[in-house]
Amino acid sequence: MMLNIISIVINVVFFIILNLDLYTDQVYLPDGIKREWHGSPIDRLYAADKNVLLYLYIFLAAVSILTGILLLAGIRNNVVKTVQLVAAIASVLMFIIIMAVAGNTHPTY
């Protein structure tokens, strides 16, 4: 039961982290002006046209949260437990992959 609550909280915290402005990007425009702005990992994924990673993470997080809620509601099916465990692990791995890709993406315009 504790794993269900932890996976729900972790997925919510991960989504909040993905929306924080963690990166500062600097670009020289064609007219020579340097532009600087702050962006989140989600912004960087969209700038690099890798938003499929975000959609995959959202799907895995939703499956993990829904199965966690089902288990907390009293459904004790081994299939649901297995799906919840796999989805929780996969969503954590996708979060790590997204942060790595966003950290190594440097948009150029």
Side-chain angles (χ1 to χ4, degrees), residues 10-106:
I10 284 177
N11 281 312
V12 170
V13 169
F14 283 169
F15 195 72
I16 291 170
I17 290 172
L18 288 176
N19 285 306
L20 292 177
D21 288 338
L22 300 176
Y23 302 107
T24 301
D25 294 323
Q26 298 176 354
V27 174
Y28 286 99
L29 299 174
D31 57 356
I33 298 173
K34 179 177 150 184
R35 179 151 186 253
E36 179 178 309
W37 68 91
H38 302 282
S40 66
I42 292 175
D43 295 335
R44 282 226 173 155
L45 288 177
Y46 278 112
D49 198 28
K50 296 180 181 173
N51 48 0
V52 134
L53 295 173
L54 177 66
Y55 298 144
L56 183 58
Y57 168 74
I58 290 172
F59 173 74
L60 292 170
V63 168
S64 175
I65 290 171
L66 286 174
T67 53
I69 291 171
L70 286 174
L71 288 170
L72 287 175
I75 296 174
R76 298 289 175 215
N77 191 346
N78 284 337
V79 174
V80 177
K81 287 180 185 179
T82 304
V83 168
Q84 199 275 334
L85 183 62
V86 169
I89 291 170
S91 67
V92 169
L93 290 175
M94 277 308 300
F95 174 76
I96 293 169
I97 290 169
I98 286 173
M99 293 303 286
V101 168
N104 290 324
T105 300
H106 304 289

